[in-house]
Amino acid sequence: MLKTDVRYLKGIGPARGRQLSKLGIETIYDLLLHVPRDYHDRRIITRISSLVPGTEVNVSGTVVSSVYLKSRNGKRRLESIVRDNTGELKLTFFHFSYIAERLKPHTRIIASGKIDYFGGISIVHPELIFLDEPDSDTRLVLPLYPLTAGLSQGVMRKLIDAVLSEYASSVPAVLPPDVLVSMGFQNRSEVIRKVHYPDDPDEGFRARRTLALEEFFVHQSLLNYVRTQAAKRTGIAMIPPDGTLAEFAGGLPYSLTGAQNSALEAIAADLTRNVPMRRLLQGDVGSGKTVVAAAACSICCRSGYQAVLVAPTEVLASQHHRTVSAMLEPAGIRCGLLTGGTKISQRRILLESLLDGSLDVLIGTHAVFEERVVIPEMGLCIIDEQHKFGVEQREKLLSEREPSPHFLLMSATPIPRTLAMTFYGDLDVSVLDEMPPGRGNTTTRVMNRDSRSSVYEFLLDRMGKGERAYIIYPLREASKELDLKDAATSYEILKRGPLGGFGVGLLTGAMKAEEKLEVTGKFLSGEISILVSTTVVEVGLDVPEATVMVVSHAERFGLSQLHQLRGRIGRGGSNSWCFLMKSEDCGVEGARRLAVLNSTDDGFRIAEQDLKLRGPGEVAGTRQHGIPAFRIASLIDDSDLLEQAASMAGSSNLWESLRDEYKLRFRGLDILEL
Ligand code: ADP
Ligand code: MG
């Protein structure tokens, strides 16, 4: 029942369904878990004589009069005067069809809302409690929910009230009973009821903490399960010929950094043991993870096994195919590329050569997870930008195999160090904390819209010198709702302007795989110098000639996301420039956030700041960048709960009973594990 789509509920049509969906609410369960961001405490009553404009207050009094007035534009409004024994306050209503009936003189009410100055001190559209009416909502502590355009607190409360009374009693248990009791609750239904309607705000916040603990617990239980399962498996002890790594390194046009060498040593040691490797290779954008992956493949293939390298996008997969095969094929290791866009005939050849062992390394996208892709001698599985994949997907590739392949996850995930231990748990972690030498400097500038023409001049100058640029927009196409510049429109404009002569291309997520590959190919070869795009370029694209990046409406992006984007430039030897263009309505808060990028290029620090500064709206942006998106829990404020959840999960082994809970809760959120 909890899985039931909210659109089947009374009062929810397609439009309301879309609004709810923007808040991540698809099911009845989602509604139950739509936790208030705060509470409105109507127990505290302010005297009318001491009201201050701009404050949220509750006023208790008696209606003196209610009159209809007409404003200059012909709109009618209702003004009611309320009196307590200290003074009078005006309540103003623009929609009043049924409220008017109830605001007759002598009616006793509590009015709540923000004090405005609207031709005198006033509350516009206050929330009302009618003290003399038995069926009025007289609960004194009311939930304030996260909302979206078109949804009011009143509507949200009605929806949640309805599901609470019908379904709250049937929610399955999650936390062990003694833990619930220690948080001050008898059972889970009570927690869910109290989070929406607590007796006082503190009780509400305690209920929220309990649900946050639950959320971490469910997640940690999955990780715990995955780890225990993995620990039971036998691995493949690889025996590469002597000098394999030296030979690999000898073929490179550069020497490996100290960090790359130590990561490789650790990986090489893991591969020779008969326990499956589970290692995370973490390194900021541009730290050179790909070459480490290629070296691991060479050990695997020279030991007689096959390797798989999976990337989250076609563009990235084909780029990996290009760079990795250039490193491996000279040594006789054969690499193939399999993506959703691979032609059927080509796919057949690939699958056959995997089967007969003539293909050593398969590089691809999700397509490699398909069942018909059989890799008989798979010894090593590498997942790049691992946070883009779900844990289930990844485990599926590995779980049925015995002996189990070695496993290398790669990530630029800027998860703060303090949390990494809990998140990665038993995974071994290697960090590339050293950038390859010979990189130019990247200068980051936060710019006003007024400076557009100087940025344009700058681009003309740089392109004239044969360099390349990315121009990034938050949207791929013009939107009716949002007045933002978008990639498609700007592409059309830039193409026709003076920059057009340098070749302008458009890359967006909506394009077909072939089109994407074609345009990135042209950008790589220099046939076009300017790539207009969205955040699709943020993952892994490696074009060393790119030296300029311009990000429009920069404050709309998460800081980590901007950091990833910026990582696309400054990859070659020359200096680079990143221009973060603020919108007109950027605001002080937005400008302060952007300034963080000016002050540091340490991805970990940026992520930490991002977590601290981000408002609720930004969660969606960071979600895709490796910071797990929890619905209720906050990684900053609830980090103590995370530790508690980890130890509870380690000792309780409740995963089997929590599997459904996991699916219900994390569906669509694509929680980013390990
Ligand atoms: P990321 O860690 O972001 O995936 P890449 O593997 O794409 O980084 O490497 C970024 C760039 O650095 C590539 O152009 C690569 O050729 C180069 N690179 C990697 N290692 C070294 C090194 N030791 N010395 C010089 N350049 C290197
Ligand atoms: Mg990479």
Side-chain angles (χ1 to χ4, degrees), residues 286 289-290 316 319-320 384-385 410 539-541 568 571:
K289 296 181 287 290
T290 317
L316 201 52
Q319 172 181 292
H320 278 335
D384 192 16
E385 307 292 344
M410 303 204 292
V539 166
L541 205 61
R568 300 306 109 221
R571 302 191 138 234

Side-chain angles (χ1 to χ4, degrees), residues 49-61:
S49 61
S50 43
L51 294 177
V52 179
T55 51
E56 293 271 353
V57 297
N58 311 295
V59 170
S60 180

Side-chain angles (χ1 to χ4, degrees), residues 371-636:
E371 250 150 63
R372 56 193 157 157
V373 181
V374 182
I375 309 167
E377 297 295 326
M378 177 159 67
L380 171 64
C381 173
I382 304 176
I383 300 198
D384 192 16
E385 307 292 344
Q386 55 85 23
H387 58 271
K388 299 265 173 180
F389 297 91
V391 76
E392 311 243 349
Q393 221 170 5
R394 190 182 77 205
E395 291 301 314
K396 200 172 141 217
L397 192 72
L398 300 174
S399 55
E400 289 112 42
R401 295 176 162 266
E402 199 69 34
S404 169
H406 295 289
F407 204 4
L408 180 64
L409 303 169
M410 303 204 292
S411 179
T413 299
I415 192 167
R417 284 185 211 286
T418 43
L419 295 171
M421 291 320 289
T422 322
F423 258 91
Y424 299 138
D426 289 355
L427 271 192
D428 297 309
V429 181
S430 293
V431 182
L432 297 185
D433 51 5
E434 182 185 355
M435 285 289 163
R439 297 270 166 94
N441 282 324
T442 300
T443 309
T444 302
R445 290 263 161 77
V446 181
M447 313 282 276
N448 285 322
R449 261 173 70 95
D450 312 346
S451 349
R452 269 179 307 172
S453 54
S454 60
V455 171
Y456 198 93
E457 290 297 321
F458 187 86
L459 275 169
L460 275 174
D461 179 46
R462 287 288 136 188
M463 299 306 102
K465 296 195 162 78
E467 299 176 9
R468 280 167 231 172
Y470 295 98
I471 303 186
I472 310 294
Y473 293 91
L475 301 178
R476 62 178 185 235
E477 285 160 11
S479 146
K480 277 193 215 107
E481 283 167 42
L482 295 169
D483 181 25
L484 298 178
K485 293 202 286 174
D486 63 281
T489 312
S490 296
Y491 163 69
E492 293 299 334
I493 295 168
L494 287 168
K495 207 167 57 171
R496 297 200 179 89
L499 280 173
F502 297 103
V504 182
L506 175 69
L507 175 69
T508 73
M511 287 162 49
K512 287 209 190 77
E514 297 141 52
E515 295 168 338
K516 285 187 199 165
L517 288 176
E518 192 188 328
V519 67
T520 44
K522 282 184 183 167
F523 188 57
L524 196 62
S525 69
E527 192 177 325
I528 58 174
S529 302
I530 296 165
L531 193 60
V532 180
S533 187
T534 60
T535 53
V536 295
V537 304
E538 97 210 17
V539 166
L541 205 61
D542 185 33
V543 181
E545 293 83 358
T547 56
V548 188
M549 171 167 285
V550 182
V551 186
S552 273
H553 303 289
E555 77 286 345
R556 297 187 64 90
F557 297 85
L559 293 184
S560 298
Q561 199 172 17
L562 288 170
H563 176 66
Q564 292 274 338
L565 281 167
R566 181 171 64 178
R568 300 306 109 221
I569 55 171
R571 302 191 138 234
S574 28
N575 290 335
S576 301
W577 291 267
C578 175
F579 298 104
L580 303 174
M581 313 298 293
K582 286 190 290 190
S583 312
E584 263 152 26
D585 58 355
C586 168
V588 186
E589 186 56 34
R592 207 173 71 208
R593 284 179 47 242
L594 291 179
V596 172
L597 288 161
N598 251 338
S599 65
T600 180
D601 59 358
D602 179 336
F604 290 105
R605 282 240 199 100
I606 290 169
E608 231 150 15
Q609 285 299 314
D610 214 0
L611 275 174
K612 281 199 190 119
L613 298 177
R614 72 185 165 160
E618 226 182 294
V619 175
T622 44
R623 177 187 302 161
Q624 305 147 20
H625 302 95
I627 299 168
F630 290 96
R631 180 197 296 252
I632 297 168
S634 144
L635 285 172
I636 295 279

